[in-house]
Amino acid sequence: MYNLTGLELKNPTILAAGVLGTTGASLCRVAREGEAGAVVTKSIGPTPKTGHSNPSMIKLDCGFLNAMGLPNPSYPGFMQELEFAKSNSAVPVIASIFGGNPSEFAEVAEGLLPAKPDALELNVSCPHAEGYGAAVGSNPCLVEAVTAAVKDVVDVPVWVKLTPNVADITCIGNAAESGGADAVVAINTVKGMAIDIESGYPVLGNRSGGLSGKAVKPVAVKCVYDLYTALEIPVIGVGGVSSWEDAVELMMAGAAAVQVGSAVYDRVDIFSEIGKGIEAFLERKGYSDIKKIIGLAHEMV
């Protein structure tokens, strides 16, 4: 078993928020069939949101562009799904939440407590939801206040998911840590856009969105590397992980665990494959413990 902010994971892989996390049944499927170490829900907010108009997601050669707009049924509407996941999943279930200010974050966090999520992940990093996400997460004072507000009303670990769309991600990471975060998650999607050259129209209904998949992995590696140096709390790496090699690279940059998102679209058993690949790598290299590779790149300077 692998301990992460007090949670026991059978391996250091986690389903990222927004992917197969809209229902309790899909979360349980990833835990059961995919053998993920933990799962994160779709981001849940204070009121129902329909999200942006379609097309809201497109596949590119290098990954995906999405502009979902944080569609969700609100925290009262999601309670039954979270309760189902908690009752039928053998792995930790983390609730991803969002709001426009500290009081809204606290409201959602406290409102979901009866469903007993194992941890909360604060989405202060979505790049395509006006008034939410990165609009909050690009302001260090607001990030600290949001984190502190949630910590005041819950007694479970609080993770803060950071945006790469800022000048200095370590500044935002420090703010989360100052607010009492138990870990940070890096990174959310990178701002991006696609245009249909025949018509001249932007492809996404929201015009622009967030880029995920293989193209963002070098960005994630750099952000994790910088955060590992700057923070005392764990860094959970996410962005472009589609193989055990990607996971090891992020861990050597400083990630204590890795989340997988876009790669799940190809196969749900990616978590098992990554976990077994990491174990084989450790054995081949003679590392007695996975902790031996976390932050290893920092020792090579």
Side-chain angles (χ1 to χ4, degrees):
M1 299 296 285
Y2 184 73
N3 186 284
L4 178 66
T5 67
L7 306 183
E8 293 293 328
L9 280 61
K10 61 184 177 182
N11 65 60
T13 67
I14 303 168
L15 173 71
V19 185
L20 296 182
T22 57
T23 67
S26 60
L27 289 164
C28 290
R29 178 190 171 208
V30 174
R32 182 181 63 255
E33 297 178 21
E35 298 185 26
V39 293
V40 183
T41 71
K42 175 69 176 165
S43 292
I44 304 301
T47 58
K49 282 175 61 69
T50 57
H52 295 313
S53 60
N54 288 325
S56 58
M57 185 170 182
I58 58 171
K59 194 175 189 308
L60 307 173
D61 292 338
C62 58
F64 294 89
L65 265 179
N66 91 84
M68 304 296 291
L70 296 175
N72 80 103
S74 79
Y75 68 89
F78 192 72
M79 286 288 286
Q80 185 175 355
E81 300 298 340
L82 185 54
E83 289 169 348
F84 182 93
K86 277 291 297 173
S87 298
N88 295 278
S89 172
V91 307
V93 178
I94 294 91
S96 173
I97 67 173
F98 71 91
N101 54 56
S103 62
E104 287 188 353
F105 269 94
E107 175 192 346
V108 178
E110 195 168 23
L112 288 176
L113 285 183
K116 299 181 179 180
D118 293 288
L120 294 171
E121 182 177 283
L122 312 187
N123 182 351
V124 294
S125 47
C126 175
H128 47 75
E130 186 176 353
Y132 299 100
V136 175
S138 58
N139 182 330
C141 293
L142 196 48
V143 168
E144 181 174 353
V146 162
T147 307
V150 173
K151 288 290 290 184
D152 281 344
V153 298
V154 303
D155 57 0
V156 297
V158 173
W159 304 350
V160 180
K161 190 168 186 178
L162 307 180
T163 175
N165 302 303
V166 291
D168 181 8
I169 196 170
T170 64
C171 178
I172 309 300
N174 280 316
E177 186 173 54
S178 295
D182 297 281
V184 296
V185 182
I187 55 175
N188 209 319
T189 54
V190 178
K191 285 183 179 180
M193 188 175 183
I195 296 171
D196 173 37
I197 62 171
E198 296 300 326
S199 67
Y201 280 96
V203 175
L204 290 173
N206 189 56
R207 304 179 73 86
S208 66
L211 176 66
S212 65
K214 292 185 178 182
V216 306
K217 190 189 74 173
V219 180
V221 170
K222 172 61 172 164
C223 288
V224 168
Y225 186 93
D226 292 346
L227 288 163
Y228 180 82
T229 300
L231 306 183
E232 297 295 327
I233 57 177
V235 181
I236 300 165
V238 56
V241 176
S242 61
S243 68
W244 68 264
E245 292 94 338
D246 295 334
V248 167
E249 185 178 2
L250 270 177
M251 296 183 86
M252 287 184 172
V258 294
Q259 293 187 355
V260 182
S262 295
V264 177
Y265 285 98
D266 294 323
R267 56 194 191 282
V268 75
D269 64 349
I270 184 70
F271 304 94
S272 174
E273 181 181 304
I274 290 174
K276 291 174 181 176
I278 292 174
E279 287 183 6
F281 174 78
L282 295 175
E283 183 176 353
R284 176 167 61 85
K285 299 290 285 187
Y287 294 118
S288 58
D289 190 284
I290 196 169
K291 293 179 181 177
K292 299 291 185 181
I293 66 170
I294 296 174
L296 183 63
H298 296 261
E299 302 173 14
M300 301 300 173
V301 178

